[in-house]
Amino acid sequence: MAILRVEPLTTARALRGPFDYRRPEAMEAVGVGSVVRVPFGPRRLLGVVVEVADASELPPERLAEPIEALEAGATPELVRLGLWVAREYCSTPSRGLQLVLPPGTGTGSGGRTTRAKTELRAEIQPAGEAALDNGERLGSKQRAVLEALRAGEMSSGELATAIGSDRATLRRLEGRGLIATRSASVRRAPSESGLRGDADRPQLLPEQEEAVAAMVAALDGEAGAPTKLLLHGVTGSGKTEVYLAAVEAALERGRGAIVLVPEIGLAPQAVARFRARLGDRFAVLHSALSAGERYDEWRRLRSGEAGVCVGPRSAVFAPVRDLGLIVVDEEHDPSYKQEGDPTYDARAVARKRAEDLGAVLVAGTATPRPESWLELPRLELPRRVDGRRMPPVHLVDMREADPRSGPIHAETWEALEDVRAAGAKAIVMINRRGFAPWLTCRSCGHHWDCPNCDVSLIVHRHSGRLVCHHCAHSEGAPRACPECGSTTLSQAGAGTERIEQLLAERLDPMPVLRLDSDTAAERGAHARILARFDELPSAVLVGTQMVAKGHDFPEVTLSAILDADATLRFPDFRAEERTFAMVAQLAGRSGRGEAGGEVIVQTLAPNAPSIEHAARHDSAGFLERELTRREVLRYPPFSHLTRINLSAEREDKLEAAATAVAGDLRRALPKGSELLGPAPMFRVRNRHRRRILIKAEDRAGTVNAVRDVVEAKVGDRSLKDVAIGVDVDPQ
Ligand code: ADP
Ligand code: ZN
Ligand code: ZN
């Protein structure tokens, strides 16, 4: 008798399987990866079969049987992967498994409401033909149905529209043997963005050919061919074209592929190109699809009907058959790391999955991460496809600027006016949305802070409100100071709204479009703003980092970043890396057309290595230097980091818990690891916060120690008001 080991799908950290069930005869097909509903004490729970065994430690009469098996399940390979993620990122088996199950599976006693959609299809039978020919007695609807079916099979929906027949009509005809019906599945296909991708294959450049050849050699398992590769290509060097060729090579060899992109909304051009080139073999998985669409796309991949999946980080778990290739496009992008539990990094999961399956891993970017630079063999695409030079980057030192002249330097204004005179386009980026980040009373110095968080409220002119960027708090913008009644309030600093206003005033009549999470909040707004910018003969696009990503406008001759060191001021070891990528990516948006282009970088830190190297388009120089710095400071890739985040409403309770956790960790951590903190963080949503950081060489040992300590604390009732989260490999 077969025993099913079932891991319950639950959100409770304490409930941990697997539990044994008897497999009834009728469930022969149930195996590893199947989703089953099982009795669990007085309850019913969903669970995943993680193992099929011959015997249980419990006597057979003590074992229950599953109540039912759900329509679709994961594969054994995906079950292993989900459980690996759970271990690797200090999470629970249930949360790891949820990542690999069909979309909409659910947890607990709930369960999937999404199913395959079917329709009834009807076909005429010889008896039906005869009935028409012999003028047998038939109702008028019945006759009309038979006549329609003479031309070929139809669905009940089509018949209802054409004739007005209902199911009862069909049932009666079927009862008389005049037609036959069957139920067939219908695909709910994701709608297309409207952007049309080019289906033609360009003649690849020699360096593109070389990169594809290296990937093909890896696919073919040629001796000595590395199976993990870094495709380092400047912006516009034709990386996407290389991915497409590699994906086609995988398909020709009967293998599937996954292409990860940072955020699907930011990559409509790339998605359209994949769709146009791959046709039916293409599937897309992301959260903007309806539940039914996602489920159907997932099943098309699971069945092998589609062989290529494009999607954001969660697509790394796509059930692609015979997976041969995983591409991580823009591999430097922070969105590959999941913020919530499990805090997995899709780049690390891609690597693990590729290693387990003998698939090829390709990470591509213009601005590689130091980790990838150090660890992966490189393929270089050093020039733009169109043969144009990278645009010159001009650093503007804001330390010497007169603060009264505002956030846009005179040199930047001059360049913008040249763009207007030439009838061209410019992109202007600033790292903050809203109008102004500080509101203070000029008479008494009163300052507007968020009541729930230790941060300033940001003035949003457009909505007329003060908004907190860390919680949901917002309040009407004041006319007067609540302390002294003065009406002279000062709005200091600048955000996207202020820049938009300044540009519109000075550059009139050139249109100014703003792109940030406020203007892009509405569904489809992001693509609309970009489309409008594309159509206008001459315009300025101003916004946050969104303006630096994933698009290609040849008429842009100037890109400017107003606060290049804003990201540098974050107390984070990745600040340098982020700043470099941001400046280099923005620079890549300029000068893609005939008119060439330039880049202006306003900064208070013109000598910062990240900014200097980005200004010279010198990735190699930056990365070598950055790696040396990280080695000295023992940061990744020269160590592994684990962060423990604690928060509570009461600071005394939090302090006690943080001290206790740190003490337990010091005792439990493997030798050679270093514990920093607990360090206070600013309060958010009325919760005080503390952070503990561990640097270690022994990753597995650290994760195990952290798991034991944290689980013991989570079970400790005196700490029930303290939230404890673990972030392995924080970004
Ligand atoms: P990247 O991903 O490196 O930014 P893309 O692959 O998007 O670059 O290529 C930039 C543009 O150049 C695209 O419009 C693409 O169709 C075109 N392109 C790429 N390779 C070639 C080639 N070999 N010949 C002509 N055009 C190409
Ligand atoms: Zn005042
Ligand atoms: Zn707040």
Side-chain angles (χ1 to χ4, degrees):
M1 178 187 52
I3 303 298
L4 303 173
R5 300 236 148 96
V6 176
E7 187 65 52
L9 291 169
T10 141
T11 48
R13 244 185 191 266
L15 183 60
R16 205 56 79 76
F19 301 102
D20 290 1
Y21 289 85
R22 259 194 333 253
R23 179 167 73 185
E25 301 258 310
M27 289 195 189
E28 276 289 279
V30 168
V32 174
S34 296
V35 184
V36 288
R37 198 184 303 281
V38 290
F40 195 80
R43 288 189 292 161
R44 295 166 158 213
L45 283 182
L46 281 182
V48 182
V49 178
V50 294
E51 199 186 329
V52 179
D54 298 328
S56 172
E57 286 173 13
L58 294 171
E61 63 277 11
R62 297 262 315 271
L63 295 179
E65 290 178 356
I67 299 157
E68 61 165 337
L70 268 57
E71 188 177 66
T75 60
E77 183 248 326
L78 285 169
V79 166
R80 279 196 303 277
L81 189 68
L83 294 174
W84 176 83
V85 166
R87 277 195 309 279
E88 192 77 358
Y89 294 93
C90 215
S91 185
T92 62
S94 166
R95 292 196 185 218
L97 289 168
Q98 281 166 45
L99 298 169
V100 303
L101 294 176
T105 296
T107 56
S109 56
R112 191 189 303 149
T113 45
T114 319
R115 286 177 193 284
K117 189 175 163 193
T118 55
E119 62 181 9
L120 199 66
R121 296 192 68 83
E123 195 182 8
I124 195 163
Q125 297 299 297
E129 309 248 9
L132 282 178
D133 294 341
N134 305 338
E136 264 177 50
R137 251 176 49 114
L138 288 162
S140 63
K141 284 258 166 67
Q142 293 183 343
R143 178 175 302 280
V145 167
L146 287 179
E147 268 161 5
L149 290 181
R150 254 192 167 164
E153 194 190 71
M154 288 172 83
S155 73
S156 61
E158 288 160 352
L159 286 167
T161 315
I163 294 161
S165 61
D166 56 13
R167 294 254 173 152
T169 319
L170 300 184
R171 262 199 306 275
R172 273 195 296 278
L173 286 168
E174 189 166 32
R176 289 173 63 183
L178 306 183
I179 65 168
T181 68
R182 65 187 175 94
S183 137
S185 62
V186 214
R187 174 180 173 206
R188 288 155 289 193
S191 60
E192 300 180 21
S193 63
L195 281 164
R196 285 213 50 82
D198 196 344
D200 298 336
R201 266 176 211 81
Q203 178 65 44
L204 295 183
L205 297 172
E207 54 266 38
Q208 286 175 311
E209 292 281 14
E210 235 171 85
V212 175
M215 295 168 195
V216 170
L219 277 171
D220 287 341
E222 277 177 26
T227 52
K228 296 185 205 104
L229 295 158
L230 173 64
L231 181 63
H232 176 223
V234 297
T235 46
S237 59
K239 293 184 289 296
T240 311
E241 219 40 70
V242 171
Y243 307 145
L244 272 163
V247 166
E248 288 179 327
L251 289 173
E252 277 163 22
R253 286 159 178 75
R255 303 186 72 179
I258 293 176
V259 179
L260 299 179
V261 293
E263 279 161 75
I264 212 99
L266 301 186
Q269 287 174 334
V271 174
R273 240 154 100 197
F274 273 92
R275 190 193 302 276
R277 200 72 73 77
L278 300 169
D280 285 344
R281 294 170 300 177
F282 167 93
V284 61
L285 277 180
H286 59 87
S287 58
L289 302 182
S290 74
E293 287 166 351
R294 237 190 300 171
Y295 185 66
D296 287 358
E297 291 291 272
W298 195 93
R299 296 202 53 185
R300 285 176 66 235
L301 289 162
R302 174 86 165 82
S303 70
E305 189 187 325
V308 181
C309 180
V310 178
R313 75 173 168 256
S314 57
V316 75
F317 301 106
V320 172
R321 285 233 174 154
D322 296 316
L323 186 60
L325 173 71
I326 308 180
V327 173
V328 185
D329 187 22
E330 309 289 7
E331 70 107 20
H332 63 278
D333 198 281
S335 73
Y336 286 122
K337 184 72 175 5
Q338 164 135 309
E339 301 272 329
D341 184 16
T343 58
Y344 74 87
D345 188 324
R347 296 164 292 203
V349 179
R351 191 176 176 140
K352 166 74 177 160
R353 203 171 171 197
E355 279 168 3
D356 285 356
L357 294 175
V360 179
L361 177 75
V362 175
T365 176
T367 53
R369 292 182 296 158
E371 290 87 328
S372 310
W373 191 260
L374 184 70
E375 289 160 10
L376 301 180
R378 285 196 287 277
L379 303 166
E380 299 275 356
L381 302 179
R383 45 184 183 137
R384 285 186 165 180
V385 170
D386 54 18
R388 283 182 233 291
R389 288 189 312 122
M390 295 301 286
V393 179
H394 183 53
L395 295 181
V396 172
D397 189 346
M398 291 301 276
R399 291 172 307 182
E400 285 155 20
D402 181 348
R404 281 166 307 181
S405 58
I408 304 179
H409 195 275
E411 288 183 43
T412 312
W413 275 126
E414 221 171 279
L416 284 163
E417 274 158 6
D418 289 348
V419 171
R420 177 177 61 175
K425 293 182 188 175
I427 295 180
V428 176
M429 173 173 140
I430 180 161
N431 264 302
R432 190 184 282 108
R433 63 199 170 85
F435 187 82
W438 292 285
L439 181 66
T440 41
C441 168
R442 273 190 209 261
S443 311
C444 76
H446 175 76
H447 186 85
W448 275 260
D449 285 328
C450 176
N452 311 320
C453 315
D454 292 336
V455 295
S456 298
L457 289 173
I458 316 287
V459 183
H460 281 243
R461 266 264 171 107
H462 204 75
S463 60
R465 302 191 72 79
L466 300 182
V467 178
C468 173
H469 286 186
H470 289 269
C471 74
H473 179 83
S474 93
E475 55 189 73
R479 288 175 197 285
C481 173
E483 301 286 329
C484 73
S486 163
T487 52
T488 42
L489 307 179
S490 133
Q491 305 185 335
T496 48
E497 288 187 6
R498 172 171 266 169
I499 302 301
E500 177 190 23
Q501 189 186 58
L502 290 171
L503 293 171
E505 278 165 13
R506 177 116 166 221
L507 298 177
D508 184 66
M510 181 151 77
V512 178
L513 309 178
R514 173 161 58 95
L515 180 62
D516 56 26
S517 53
D518 295 318
T519 60
E522 218 177 286
R523 208 186 154 110
H526 184 265
R528 267 203 305 282
I529 294 167
L530 287 181
R532 177 103 183 94
F533 185 59
D534 193 19
E535 284 156 22
L536 287 165
S538 170
V540 189
L541 181 68
V542 54
T544 51
Q545 289 203 30
M546 287 169 108
V547 300
K549 289 188 182 176
H551 51 74
D552 184 1
F553 300 114
E555 307 89 355
V556 173
T557 57
L558 171 69
S559 42
I561 168 163
L562 303 185
D563 56 349
D565 35 65
T567 46
L568 266 185
R569 291 192 294 267
F570 283 107
D572 177 344
F573 78 99
R574 290 195 196 275
E576 296 272 345
E577 171 188 342
R578 292 262 156 78
T579 305
F580 176 83
M582 181 183 74
V583 175
Q585 294 287 343
L586 185 80
R589 303 296 140 209
S590 177
R592 291 195 171 202
E594 309 240 308
E598 70 168 319
V599 183
I600 290 183
V601 176
Q602 293 189 181
T603 173
L604 289 164
N607 302 319
S610 52
I611 292 180
E612 270 194 329
H613 283 102
R616 292 200 301 265
H617 305 288
D618 178 13
S619 299
F622 169 72
L623 287 159
E624 299 300 340
R625 197 194 145 102
E626 180 63 9
L627 280 165
T628 309
R629 189 182 75 95
R630 296 227 184 144
E631 188 163 18
V632 170
L633 298 175
R634 268 187 94 212
Y635 275 119
F638 303 100
S639 71
H640 296 284
L641 300 186
T642 304
R643 199 160 67 193
I644 293 115
N645 299 311
L646 300 103
S647 74
E649 283 184 18
R650 288 210 8 216
E651 192 157 25
D652 53 345
K653 282 202 170 179
L654 176 64
E655 187 62 47
T659 311
V661 169
D664 289 358
L665 281 171
R666 282 205 175 85
R667 281 184 289 279
L669 284 170
K671 275 217 163 45
S673 47
E674 187 184 344
L675 185 145
L676 307 169
M681 305 284 298
F682 65 87
R683 193 175 53 115
V684 169
R685 294 171 201 272
N686 270 323
R687 296 181 75 86
H688 296 275
R689 299 186 299 155
R690 294 284 186 281
R691 200 172 250 190
I692 297 170
L693 185 70
I694 301 159
K695 280 187 196 172
E697 249 118 74
D698 174 2
R699 187 181 193 281
T702 303
V703 170
N704 286 336
V706 169
R707 181 187 304 112
D708 292 347
V709 168
V710 167
E711 274 174 12
K713 291 291 171 205
V714 167
D716 180 343
R717 292 190 44 125
S718 68
L719 296 180
K720 70 176 178 7
D721 301 327
V722 180
I724 307 179
V726 179
D727 189 355
V728 185
D729 307 332
Q731 290 297 294

